[in-house]
Amino acid sequence: MAFDIDMIKKVYANFPSRIDAARKVVGRPLTLSEKILYAHLWDGDPKKAFSRGTDYVDFAPDRVAMQDATAQMALLQFMQAGRPQVAVPSTVHCDHLITAKEGASIDLPHARTESAEVFDFLSSVSNKYGIGFWKPGAGIIHQVVLENYAFPGGMMIGTDSHTVNAGGLGMVAIGVGGADACDVMAGLPWELKFPKLIGVKLTGKLNGWTAAKDVILKVAGILTVKGGTGAIVEYFGDGAINLSCTGKGTICNMGAEIGATTSTFGYDESMERYLRATGRNEVADEANKIAAYLTGDSEVYADPENYFDQVIEINLDELEPYLNGPFTPDLATPVSQMKVEAEKNGWPLKVEWGLIGSCTNSSYEDLSRAASIANQAISKGLVTKAEFGINPGSEQVRYTADRDGYLKTFEDLNATIFTNACGPCIGMWDRTGAEKAEKNTIVHSFNRNFAKRADGNPNTFAFVASPEMVAAIAIAGDLGFNPLTDTLTNDKGEQIKLDPPTGDELPTKGFAVEDAGYQAPATDGSSVEVLVSPSSHRLQLLDPFTPWEGTDLKGLNLLIKAKGKCTTDHISMAGPWLKFRGHLDNISNNMLIGAVNYFNDKTDNVKNELTGEYGPVPATQRDYKAAGIGSIVVGDENYGEGSSREHAAMEPRHLGVRAVLVKSFARIHETNLKKQGMLGLTFADKDDYDKILEDDKIDILGLTEFAPDQPLTLVLHHADGTEESFQVNHSYNAQQIDWFKAGGALNIIRAEAAAKAAL
């Protein structure tokens, strides 16, 4: 079934004329990314060319997607926007609040009971405001979106950084915070700095053990975790056409790990095949009518250096499998070199767990290729040396894979089939023994491998690989195992070599499912009541943040000077904290507890300037808030890397932090800070980071003349009586400055809704 077909037809009806107009104003052929961006301008037909990396532009996304952990805060904000229904098609997907432990048959019922209050809230809010609701167990948001909602040439935003997965079906799909989603659902324009463009030309064809996952693992090694910041990555070439649609989705998915705004591929036959296989013939028929507009112009791909800001070329014929990690997804090591690298760096070679799934690699094709390795192991007398876990991407994938015997193959190899949910990928894994914090190695097909992310153990060395490579290494139990060259000993003492994986791009018998888990909203939700108990520990209605007081900020305490990598996982951990995503005050007790204090190299241990004692970051900040003292957080490069979670911005705002000053920001986090009325500042001279001392009192001057492109001044009052001052930069435009002054973008939306209601 094709959801929202009338909306898709409307987008396609306008597409050719808007692209033709864009070519005229830009004065040259267009990339696919530019076509989609210019076709989704808030003001309609393009009237001017935009400068990449400079101009802020208002867009009109076609739809919004939210997962259960982030949807809570997004919808709590939307409830204050004053609208009876969402303005664009929107969905909620319950995939984050399901702990993996025993297996789906036990874990899913437990989650339904444990998080019933949250699921009921999300179900009722969706029902009231016209939002499609996917129940717990229906699947992982990005796999469900790819199967049901993504369409070539569309623009979507989602409250999860891996929204970018939909680029596998030719979308510009971008991860955002809940406040951005709230804007779009409220019928307002969505603002984005016009992205730069990185072109990746793929030639050749994948073969042997190499998978689509290895393309993005290699790209991550080239660009690093911040190399794609502010850019769309567009893949093209014969190699791109040779990839499956879900393989394209895998590549786009992990574009979040290089900081890219999003990634995308042009419309081709693999996308048409996937649309038809997932019951969307009508979408494929409509896309075929304007197919030439749903990919980059031929001149662009013939001479890419003239159209992209950076071009990378990868020959798939020569690409080898990779293992990325540990502790960062851009540390790329060819499988053939892993044994040497592991021994050199002291990485544990014994593999304890192999995990397949997540939004990145949980498609039918992924499971079928991994199952081919598992089936070989069984037939050749091998057993897994590591424990083995599988998370199917959706109920449709799970049901079909079960029908076709793949799940039984995994179970015959003693694998645990977890729920169709995120599970270990986001830290929702109750792993036995993790509390011992022992040094160990796991391999998985997920996208991120930050310290503590999967199981809470800082000493778990996690490596990212393709599903088929995970299966092979789990069977070997050895991180240094290279299935291309190495052999294993079977139960008869024979040396066995695994054959390369095989699998089906799409099920030959077609997809099947009994109950996909979808709940349509009420036609008229005006009588639906949304209840939030005032005594709830899971949900809390929001109070507006206070507006700026109209003066410079003086006498701020330094809360923490974070050292090194500080992702949104460090700022607002997931795992067990996910249960508080709808309760801002309770979840604020995890604020910055994973950040490393520059002054003592400890986590969750900072000096309280009121007592002179060291203690937890949240408790220290609560003391400052109670005393009416503002504070500032200082950070390093690419601060806020990782998830889109706006809690990493809302928690400091809620507890009284006034500004975040860093060497550089990750895109989504900087936007989230702005939306919540926070000051997000960067050092004009990065060496000034070293000048900030633990006992400093800090002033931020120039706010009374706060204006775009005008630096502010930071004054440090050191404990010895000396002072230093230096410039700090910001990227606020006029509208974003209004958000700051109003105390957050939501306050402006609320005021506008109240004004309309008063008329």
Side-chain angles (χ1 to χ4, degrees):
M1 166 178 130
F3 287 91
D4 309 309
I5 188 63
D6 290 338
M7 177 270 286
I8 295 171
K9 287 181 177 179
K10 183 178 178 182
V11 171
Y12 284 172
N14 293 325
F15 217 84
S17 63
R18 290 188 175 182
I19 300 312
D20 291 341
R23 281 202 197 95
K24 289 181 181 179
V25 299
V26 175
R28 57 169 173 76
L30 298 175
T31 66
L32 169 64
S33 305
E34 290 172 312
K35 289 181 180 181
I36 299 175
L37 292 171
Y38 278 107
H40 286 84
L41 297 176
W42 179 258
D43 293 331
D45 290 345
K47 299 176 180 63
K48 61 168 285 190
F50 295 105
S51 177
R52 298 177 192 169
T54 301
D55 291 340
Y56 282 98
V57 183
D58 285 342
F59 292 101
D62 301 312
R63 66 178 313 111
V64 173
M66 297 164 280
Q67 41 94 335
D68 49 356
T70 54
Q72 296 171 64
M73 197 58 68
L75 293 175
L76 285 166
Q77 292 176 82
F78 177 75
M79 288 168 63
Q80 301 181 48
R83 283 193 64 98
Q85 275 205 325
V86 291
V88 301
S90 304
T91 52
V92 168
H93 304 258
C94 296
D95 62 355
H96 273 56
L97 301 179
I98 304 168
T99 301
K101 185 177 183 180
E102 305 292 343
S105 62
I106 297 174
D107 297 344
L108 182 56
H110 176 75
R112 285 176 174 150
T113 300
E114 181 185 50
S115 295
E117 179 184 14
V118 173
F119 294 146
D120 290 346
F121 165 73
L122 293 173
S123 173
S124 63
V125 173
S126 298
N127 202 26
K128 182 175 183 65
Y129 292 107
I131 299 168
F133 180 72
W134 290 81
K135 302 172 187 176
I140 304 171
I141 175 172
H142 311 303
Q143 180 67 34
V144 173
V145 165
L146 198 72
E147 291 176 10
N148 295 278
Y149 298 112
F151 66 97
M155 174 182 272
M156 177 177 73
I157 63 169
T159 60
D160 188 285
S161 57
H162 293 105
T163 299
V164 296
N165 188 84
L169 249 176
M171 293 194 89
V172 161
I174 301 175
V176 300
D180 279 346
C182 179
D183 283 357
V184 175
M185 290 189 293
L188 299 175
W190 175 63
E191 182 189 75
L192 177 73
K193 185 178 286 187
F194 204 83
K196 295 182 179 180
L197 299 177
I198 298 173
V200 180
K201 182 178 181 179
L202 302 179
T203 61
K205 190 172 185 178
L206 295 172
N207 60 87
W209 281 90
T210 309
K213 182 63 162 270
D214 298 304
V215 175
I216 186 58
L217 294 179
K218 182 174 180 64
V219 169
I222 294 169
L223 289 175
T224 77
V225 290
K226 64 175 187 174
T229 302
I232 293 179
V233 181
E234 184 171 324
Y235 292 84
F236 62 94
D238 292 342
I241 294 171
N242 289 331
L243 295 169
S244 69
C245 180
T246 52
K248 292 177 171 73
T250 291
I251 293 168
C252 291
N253 184 294
M254 269 196 73
E257 274 52 73
I258 57 173
T261 301
T262 191
S263 305
T264 194
F265 286 79
Y267 180 60
D268 60 18
E269 291 182 1
S270 73
M271 295 185 190
E272 180 181 357
R273 290 194 298 271
Y274 187 75
L275 286 169
R276 296 192 187 284
T278 51
R280 291 174 285 173
N281 285 321
E282 198 168 1
V283 178
D285 292 342
E286 293 298 318
N288 286 343
K289 294 176 184 177
I290 61 165
Y293 288 94
L294 297 175
T295 189
D297 289 334
S298 58
E299 299 93 330
V300 171
Y301 296 154
D303 197 7
E305 286 79 6
N306 287 336
Y307 299 94
F308 292 97
D309 298 291
Q310 180 180 356
V311 177
I312 297 168
E313 186 167 343
I314 298 173
N315 185 344
L316 301 185
D317 290 332
E318 300 173 355
L319 183 66
E320 63 176 303
Y322 274 80
L323 278 164
N324 284 26
F327 305 125
T328 185
D330 60 347
L331 182 55
T333 303
V335 170
S336 61
Q337 299 174 25
M338 178 51 74
K339 184 176 179 63
V340 172
E341 287 298 308
E343 290 174 343
K344 180 175 71 176
N345 290 286
W347 303 335
L349 282 168
K350 182 184 178 185
V351 175
E352 304 288 346
W353 268 90
L355 297 153
I356 293 172
S358 90
C359 59
T360 325
N361 281 110
S362 55
S363 67
Y364 182 88
E365 180 182 31
D366 290 328
L367 296 187
S368 70
R369 285 175 63 86
S372 76
I373 304 302
N375 191 56
Q376 283 187 61
I378 295 167
S379 64
K380 295 179 179 182
L382 299 169
V383 296
T384 53
K385 298 290 181 60
E387 294 189 73
F388 202 15
I390 313 291
N391 281 88
S394 70
E395 176 57 15
Q396 179 168 261
V397 165
R398 187 210 64 79
Y399 188 95
T400 307
D402 190 31
R403 178 201 67 189
D404 294 346
Y406 295 140
L407 298 191
K408 184 178 186 304
T409 297
F410 289 129
E411 289 172 333
D412 287 347
L413 207 60
N414 293 321
T416 300
I417 309 300
F418 292 123
T419 312
N420 315 318
C422 303
C425 179
I426 58 159
M428 291 297 282
W429 184 22
D430 189 357
R431 181 185 178 189
T432 301
E435 72 282 355
K436 298 177 183 177
E438 294 174 342
K439 189 174 181 179
N440 75 104
T441 287
I442 65 174
V443 292
H444 59 58
S445 68
F446 309 157
N447 38 50
R448 292 186 179 140
N449 56 351
F450 305 142
K452 300 185 182 181
R453 182 173 174 89
D455 62 2
N457 178 3
N459 297 313
T460 292
F461 289 63
F463 295 84
V464 184
S466 67
E468 45 268 65
M469 189 57 63
V470 169
I473 292 175
I475 291 164
D478 181 0
L479 183 65
F481 176 66
N482 179 4
L484 284 75
T485 58
D486 298 346
T487 59
L488 297 170
T489 305
N490 71 0
D491 54 6
K492 298 178 182 178
E494 301 167 333
Q495 291 303 298
I496 300 297
K497 191 169 185 292
L498 295 172
D499 298 323
T502 59
D504 294 320
E505 173 185 333
L506 296 163
T508 55
K509 299 178 185 177
F511 282 108
V513 69
E514 288 183 348
D515 179 4
Y518 176 69
Q519 172 188 293
T523 304
D524 178 4
S526 58
S527 62
V528 175
E529 187 175 4
V530 179
L531 297 177
V532 177
S533 169
S535 61
S536 172
H537 293 289
R538 301 286 300 267
L539 297 163
Q540 179 187 47
L541 295 176
L542 294 175
D543 292 323
F545 290 134
T546 56
W548 173 56
E549 56 268 63
T551 63
D552 289 335
L553 302 180
K554 296 184 178 181
L556 303 179
N557 281 351
L558 175 66
L559 176 61
I560 186 172
K561 181 177 175 179
K563 179 181 179 181
K565 185 185 283 285
C566 191
T567 71
T568 48
D569 275 291
H570 295 85
I571 304 168
S572 176
M573 286 186 177
W577 291 95
L578 284 175
K579 66 171 64 76
F580 299 122
R581 283 287 181 88
H583 197 295
L584 181 56
D585 193 57
N586 281 346
I587 199 171
S588 293
N589 288 322
N590 79 357
M591 184 190 73
L592 286 159
I593 62 175
V596 176
N597 183 356
Y598 176 90
F599 299 106
N600 60 12
D601 285 328
K602 295 180 179 180
T603 58
D604 201 23
N605 188 269
V606 295
K607 186 176 182 180
N608 186 325
E609 293 297 327
L610 298 177
T611 65
E613 298 177 352
Y614 286 82
V617 182
T620 301
Q621 182 56 38
R622 287 186 186 276
D623 282 353
Y624 294 161
K625 182 178 181 179
I629 299 170
S631 65
I632 183 170
V633 170
V634 174
D636 213 317
E637 296 280 8
N638 207 32
Y639 183 88
E641 169 193 343
S643 168
S644 68
R645 65 191 65 159
E646 65 183 339
H647 298 76
M650 295 186 78
E651 292 172 31
R653 181 75 168 98
H654 171 65
L655 292 184
V657 175
R658 303 303 302 269
V660 179
L661 170 64
V662 300
K663 292 180 181 178
S664 64
F665 280 109
R667 176 190 63 84
I668 300 177
H669 186 64
E670 182 179 23
T671 300
N672 286 344
L673 289 170
K674 292 177 178 179
K675 282 281 185 176
Q676 301 303 334
M678 289 276 286
L679 275 177
L681 307 173
T682 56
F683 291 98
D685 180 351
K686 294 181 180 180
D687 289 340
D688 288 336
Y689 171 89
D690 298 324
K691 295 178 180 177
I692 296 177
L693 305 180
E694 190 171 35
D695 297 319
D696 284 347
K697 292 288 186 179
I698 301 169
D699 301 337
I700 301 175
L701 308 181
L703 290 174
T704 53
E705 293 84 33
F706 196 11
D709 302 318
Q710 296 298 314
L712 300 173
T713 299
L714 201 83
V715 180
L716 304 177
H717 301 274
H718 298 311
D720 64 4
T722 61
E723 293 184 4
E724 290 184 88
S725 64
F726 50 83
Q727 281 191 342
V728 292
N729 294 330
H730 66 85
S731 61
Y732 287 71
N733 61 24
Q735 176 177 260
Q736 294 164 351
I737 290 172
D738 286 341
W739 297 342
F740 167 74
K741 291 179 177 179
L746 185 59
N747 286 350
I748 294 177
I749 298 174
R750 187 186 294 107
E752 290 174 349
K756 289 179 182 178
L759 294 177

